[in-house]
Amino acid sequence: MRTFDPKELPTGEFHSLMLGAIAPRPIAFASTVDKEGNVNLSPFSFFNCFGSNPPVLIFSPARRVRDNTGKHTLDNVLETGEVVINIGNYAIVEQMSLASTEYDKGVNEFTKAGLTPVASTLVKPPRVAEVPAAFECRVLEVKPIGNKGGAANLVICEAVLLHVQEEVLGGNGKTIDPFKLDAVARLGGDWYLRAQGDCLFELPKPLQNKGMGIDQLPAHIRHSGVLTGNNLARLGNTQAIPTKAEVREFTHDPLYKYLVHKHQGNPTETNRQLHLLAQRFLEEGRVQEAWKALLTIENT
């Protein structure tokens, strides 16, 4: 690996490397107003949520790297203490990008990007009608981190209302369907990510159940030449392995019998094929079947 010291590189070079590596990043499509009521709308990919009680969101309108100037969004939140963080999606990604143009102060990016302002309920800045979700926020604190080009300005916000389009809610009305949300995120350079299709996958989180861990896997599984680290972690996320009776029952499976018969007399290849079969089961989410395939190896 190459090593980069930010103190030894021009800020712009390290900025590009950092944004290329820390990705994908969600986008805060922030609408604000100044003290005269002039509206500003701009996207920021230095953004995330940091708590739910109270609900806290933080984004950073960093100082421009090239000339150390500040953003109109930062000026506005300092003046009014309010912001709407709109969550853009693929349907408006190019309009959202257009709104990032550095228009002069007082120019309304809603108009430039062809988006529709909707009056908020508790704060003065309007929200974007076309987005799937929008948080009305009051600013708790603005924390500058330095005063040079590229320096962060952490805008720490409390979400006081959340608006969500009905069509992106899940069946119970209490969750958001990621396929319907069709979210976008920033990568490095001009690259974006669309969270859709094969990009989306489910992974059981080890929160309620305490998995055994990779260190407790049998040695022939732990040192497999086929299974990846992800495969081993999926096995290590289980609490209990199949019983000996369940493993014996699996040996009557036609696919197992075919593999063993095909490679009869070559135990090394038989074991490799069983590891490949277990890997396929894991990729299909069939963890117990993967365990059964692997545990038959102790008896072959």
Side-chain angles (χ1 to χ4, degrees):
M1 298 182 74
R2 289 184 61 187
T3 301
F4 298 90
D5 186 338
K7 295 180 178 145
E8 295 179 357
L9 287 177
T11 301
E13 288 185 24
F14 194 80
H15 178 89
S16 295
L17 288 165
M18 184 174 71
L19 268 60
I22 303 174
R25 300 182 306 281
I27 302 169
F29 199 17
S31 50
T32 58
V33 296
D34 63 17
K35 58 186 177 183
E36 278 81 37
N38 297 307
V39 176
N40 184 269
L41 179 65
S42 188
F44 298 92
S45 68
F46 292 173
F47 163 62
N48 220 308
C49 54
F50 292 86
S52 55
N53 187 20
V56 171
L57 294 80
I58 302 177
F59 73 101
S60 176
R63 300 190 67 81
R64 294 183 180 91
V65 172
R66 68 176 183 276
D67 59 8
N68 194 22
T69 55
K71 309 280 181 67
H72 297 145
T73 299
L74 177 62
D75 295 337
N76 291 351
V77 297
L78 288 170
E79 287 183 13
T80 68
E82 295 181 338
V83 60
V84 176
I85 296 180
N86 302 279
I87 305 299
N89 63 0
Y90 187 74
I92 66 161
V93 65
E94 298 220 27
Q95 291 170 282
M96 187 164 54
S97 176
L98 179 58
S100 69
T101 303
E102 294 179 2
Y103 294 111
D104 293 337
K105 183 173 175 59
V107 173
N108 188 332
E109 287 84 2
F110 275 92
T111 303
K112 290 292 187 182
L115 295 168
T116 310
V118 176
S120 296
T121 305
L122 297 179
V123 299
K124 291 179 182 177
R127 53 191 176 88
V128 179
E130 290 82 359
V131 302
F135 294 86
E136 295 188 23
C137 300
R138 293 199 175 100
V139 177
L140 300 174
E141 180 183 356
V142 177
K143 187 173 182 61
I145 312 293
N147 55 17
K148 296 180 181 179
N153 293 288
L154 305 184
V155 182
I156 305 170
C157 309
E158 179 178 352
V160 293
L161 276 183
L162 167 61
H163 306 275
V164 181
Q165 288 185 359
E166 288 279 354
E167 52 264 37
V168 304
L169 290 172
N172 61 5
K174 297 179 180 180
T175 58
I176 291 177
D177 185 323
F179 290 94
K180 294 176 181 176
L181 182 67
D182 204 9
V184 291
R186 285 289 277 121
L187 305 173
D190 291 336
W191 289 96
Y192 285 74
L193 171 74
R194 182 181 187 181
Q196 190 55 261
D198 292 340
C199 290
L200 298 176
F201 61 94
E202 287 187 290
L203 185 65
K205 297 178 72 174
L207 298 179
Q208 296 179 346
N209 300 323
K210 187 178 291 186
M212 66 178 66
I214 291 176
D215 61 317
Q216 295 301 307
L217 299 179
H220 76 277
I221 298 176
R222 193 168 64 252
H223 301 299
S224 170
V226 172
L227 300 177
T228 67
N230 280 339
N231 297 151
L232 296 176
R234 180 64 67 95
L235 293 168
N237 192 32
T238 55
Q239 288 183 294
I241 64 176
T243 64
K244 291 183 179 179
E246 290 172 327
V247 175
R248 281 196 302 271
E249 184 180 350
F250 180 78
T251 62
H252 299 293
D253 184 281
L255 181 56
Y256 171 83
K257 295 172 73 173
Y258 168 77
L259 286 176
V260 172
H261 177 74
K262 181 178 180 180
H263 302 287
Q264 189 173 13
N266 188 346
T268 300
E269 182 59 22
T270 299
N271 291 350
R272 192 179 81 86
Q273 289 297 323
L274 287 170
H275 277 246
L276 287 168
L277 177 61
Q279 185 175 60
R280 192 175 88 190
F281 284 150
L282 289 169
E283 291 169 353
E284 294 172 353
R286 300 163 63 185
V287 179
Q288 287 299 301
E289 285 89 342
W291 268 112
K292 292 172 188 176
L294 292 166
L295 291 176
T296 62
I297 294 173
E298 298 176 353
N299 301 319
T300 55

Short mmCIF file of all heavy atoms in Angstrom, two decimals, residues 24-27 87-94 96 181-186 192-195:
data_model
loop_
_atom_site.label_atom_id
_atom_site.label_comp_id
_atom_site.label_asym_id
_atom_site.label_seq_id
_atom_site.Cartn_x
_atom_site.Cartn_y
_atom_site.Cartn_z
N PRO A 24 -19.44 5.14 -0.48
CA PRO A 24 -20.29 6.27 -0.90
C PRO A 24 -20.69 7.14 0.29
O PRO A 24 -20.73 6.68 1.42
CB PRO A 24 -21.51 5.58 -1.50
CG PRO A 24 -21.61 4.30 -0.74
CD PRO A 24 -20.19 3.86 -0.47
N ARG A 25 -20.98 8.41 -0.02
CA ARG A 25 -21.39 9.35 1.01
C ARG A 25 -22.80 9.83 0.72
O ARG A 25 -23.11 10.26 -0.41
CB ARG A 25 -20.44 10.57 1.04
CG ARG A 25 -18.99 10.21 1.33
CD ARG A 25 -18.11 11.45 1.40
NE ARG A 25 -18.22 12.28 0.21
CZ ARG A 25 -17.61 12.01 -0.95
NH1 ARG A 25 -16.86 10.94 -1.08
NH2 ARG A 25 -17.77 12.83 -1.97
N PRO A 26 -23.72 9.79 1.71
CA PRO A 26 -25.05 10.34 1.49
C PRO A 26 -24.99 11.83 1.25
O PRO A 26 -23.98 12.48 1.55
CB PRO A 26 -25.79 10.01 2.80
CG PRO A 26 -24.71 9.87 3.82
CD PRO A 26 -23.52 9.32 3.10
N ILE A 27 -26.04 12.37 0.68
CA ILE A 27 -26.05 13.77 0.27
C ILE A 27 -27.13 14.54 1.04
O ILE A 27 -28.30 14.16 1.03
CB ILE A 27 -26.31 13.90 -1.24
CG1 ILE A 27 -25.23 13.13 -2.02
CG2 ILE A 27 -26.33 15.37 -1.66
CD1 ILE A 27 -25.54 12.97 -3.49
N ILE A 87 -33.56 14.84 1.14
CA ILE A 87 -32.86 13.63 0.71
C ILE A 87 -33.19 13.40 -0.76
O ILE A 87 -34.30 13.00 -1.10
CB ILE A 87 -33.28 12.42 1.56
CG1 ILE A 87 -33.07 12.70 3.05
CG2 ILE A 87 -32.51 11.18 1.12
CD1 ILE A 87 -31.64 13.00 3.45
N GLY A 88 -32.22 13.69 -1.62
CA GLY A 88 -32.45 13.52 -3.05
C GLY A 88 -32.37 12.06 -3.45
O GLY A 88 -31.84 11.22 -2.72
N ASN A 89 -32.86 11.75 -4.65
CA ASN A 89 -32.75 10.39 -5.18
C ASN A 89 -32.43 10.44 -6.67
O ASN A 89 -32.18 11.51 -7.23
CB ASN A 89 -34.02 9.57 -4.89
CG ASN A 89 -35.26 10.14 -5.56
OD1 ASN A 89 -35.20 11.15 -6.25
ND2 ASN A 89 -36.39 9.50 -5.36
N TYR A 90 -32.43 9.29 -7.31
CA TYR A 90 -31.99 9.21 -8.70
C TYR A 90 -32.85 10.04 -9.63
O TYR A 90 -32.36 10.59 -10.62
CB TYR A 90 -31.97 7.75 -9.17
CG TYR A 90 -31.37 7.57 -10.53
CD1 TYR A 90 -29.98 7.67 -10.72
CD2 TYR A 90 -32.17 7.32 -11.63
CE1 TYR A 90 -29.43 7.53 -11.98
CE2 TYR A 90 -31.62 7.16 -12.90
CZ TYR A 90 -30.24 7.27 -13.06
OH TYR A 90 -29.70 7.13 -14.31
N ALA A 91 -34.14 10.17 -9.29
CA ALA A 91 -35.06 10.90 -10.17
C ALA A 91 -34.67 12.37 -10.32
O ALA A 91 -35.02 13.00 -11.32
CB ALA A 91 -36.49 10.78 -9.64
N ILE A 92 -33.95 12.93 -9.34
CA ILE A 92 -33.60 14.35 -9.42
C ILE A 92 -32.09 14.58 -9.30
O ILE A 92 -31.65 15.70 -9.04
CB ILE A 92 -34.33 15.19 -8.34
CG1 ILE A 92 -33.87 14.79 -6.93
CG2 ILE A 92 -35.83 15.08 -8.48
CD1 ILE A 92 -34.18 15.83 -5.88
N VAL A 93 -31.28 13.54 -9.50
CA VAL A 93 -29.85 13.66 -9.23
C VAL A 93 -29.19 14.75 -10.08
O VAL A 93 -28.31 15.49 -9.61
CB VAL A 93 -29.13 12.31 -9.39
CG1 VAL A 93 -29.15 11.80 -10.83
CG2 VAL A 93 -27.69 12.40 -8.87
N GLU A 94 -29.60 14.89 -11.34
CA GLU A 94 -28.97 15.92 -12.18
C GLU A 94 -29.44 17.32 -11.78
O GLU A 94 -28.66 18.28 -11.85
CB GLU A 94 -29.26 15.63 -13.65
CG GLU A 94 -28.67 14.30 -14.09
CD GLU A 94 -28.07 14.33 -15.47
OE1 GLU A 94 -27.62 15.40 -15.91
OE2 GLU A 94 -28.05 13.26 -16.10
N MET A 96 -30.17 18.09 -8.71
CA MET A 96 -29.44 18.33 -7.47
C MET A 96 -28.01 18.75 -7.76
O MET A 96 -27.47 19.66 -7.12
CB MET A 96 -29.48 17.06 -6.60
CG MET A 96 -28.89 17.21 -5.23
SD MET A 96 -29.37 15.87 -4.11
CE MET A 96 -28.87 14.41 -5.03
N LEU A 181 -37.01 4.07 -2.48
CA LEU A 181 -36.29 5.30 -2.20
C LEU A 181 -35.36 5.67 -3.36
O LEU A 181 -35.28 6.83 -3.75
CB LEU A 181 -35.46 5.15 -0.91
CG LEU A 181 -34.69 6.38 -0.47
CD1 LEU A 181 -35.63 7.50 -0.03
CD2 LEU A 181 -33.72 6.03 0.66
N ASP A 182 -34.67 4.66 -3.91
CA ASP A 182 -33.79 4.87 -5.07
C ASP A 182 -32.75 5.95 -4.77
O ASP A 182 -32.56 6.90 -5.54
CB ASP A 182 -34.62 5.23 -6.30
CG ASP A 182 -33.91 4.90 -7.61
OD1 ASP A 182 -32.86 4.24 -7.55
OD2 ASP A 182 -34.41 5.32 -8.67
N ALA A 183 -32.07 5.79 -3.66
CA ALA A 183 -31.13 6.80 -3.17
C ALA A 183 -29.90 6.92 -4.05
O ALA A 183 -29.54 5.99 -4.79
CB ALA A 183 -30.71 6.47 -1.74
N VAL A 184 -29.25 8.07 -3.97
CA VAL A 184 -27.97 8.27 -4.65
C VAL A 184 -26.95 8.72 -3.62
O VAL A 184 -27.30 9.27 -2.57
CB VAL A 184 -28.07 9.31 -5.78
CG1 VAL A 184 -28.90 8.78 -6.93
CG2 VAL A 184 -28.63 10.63 -5.28
N ALA A 185 -25.69 8.49 -3.93
CA ALA A 185 -24.61 8.87 -3.03
C ALA A 185 -23.42 9.31 -3.86
O ALA A 185 -23.29 8.97 -5.03
CB ALA A 185 -24.23 7.71 -2.11
N ARG A 186 -22.53 10.07 -3.22
CA ARG A 186 -21.36 10.59 -3.91
C ARG A 186 -20.16 9.67 -3.73
O ARG A 186 -19.94 9.11 -2.67
CB ARG A 186 -21.00 11.98 -3.37
CG ARG A 186 -21.90 13.08 -3.84
CD ARG A 186 -21.71 13.42 -5.32
NE ARG A 186 -20.60 14.32 -5.55
CZ ARG A 186 -19.55 14.04 -6.32
NH1 ARG A 186 -19.44 12.89 -6.92
NH2 ARG A 186 -18.60 14.95 -6.48
N TYR A 192 -21.03 8.98 -8.99
CA TYR A 192 -22.13 8.80 -8.06
C TYR A 192 -22.46 7.32 -7.95
O TYR A 192 -22.04 6.51 -8.79
CB TYR A 192 -23.39 9.54 -8.53
CG TYR A 192 -23.36 11.04 -8.37
CD1 TYR A 192 -22.60 11.85 -9.21
CD2 TYR A 192 -24.12 11.67 -7.38
CE1 TYR A 192 -22.57 13.22 -9.06
CE2 TYR A 192 -24.11 13.05 -7.23
CZ TYR A 192 -23.33 13.82 -8.07
OH TYR A 192 -23.32 15.18 -7.92
N LEU A 193 -23.22 6.98 -6.95
CA LEU A 193 -23.74 5.62 -6.80
C LEU A 193 -25.25 5.67 -6.75
O LEU A 193 -25.83 6.51 -6.07
CB LEU A 193 -23.23 4.99 -5.49
CG LEU A 193 -23.88 3.65 -5.12
CD1 LEU A 193 -23.37 2.54 -6.02
CD2 LEU A 193 -23.62 3.30 -3.66
N ARG A 194 -25.90 4.76 -7.48
CA ARG A 194 -27.35 4.59 -7.38
C ARG A 194 -27.62 3.34 -6.56
O ARG A 194 -27.23 2.23 -6.92
CB ARG A 194 -27.97 4.45 -8.77
CG ARG A 194 -29.49 4.33 -8.73
CD ARG A 194 -30.06 4.17 -10.14
NE ARG A 194 -31.52 4.21 -10.12
CZ ARG A 194 -32.29 4.07 -11.21
NH1 ARG A 194 -31.71 3.88 -12.39
NH2 ARG A 194 -33.61 4.11 -11.10
N ALA A 195 -28.29 3.49 -5.44
CA ALA A 195 -28.58 2.36 -4.54
C ALA A 195 -29.82 1.64 -5.05
O ALA A 195 -30.93 1.87 -4.60
CB ALA A 195 -28.78 2.84 -3.11
#
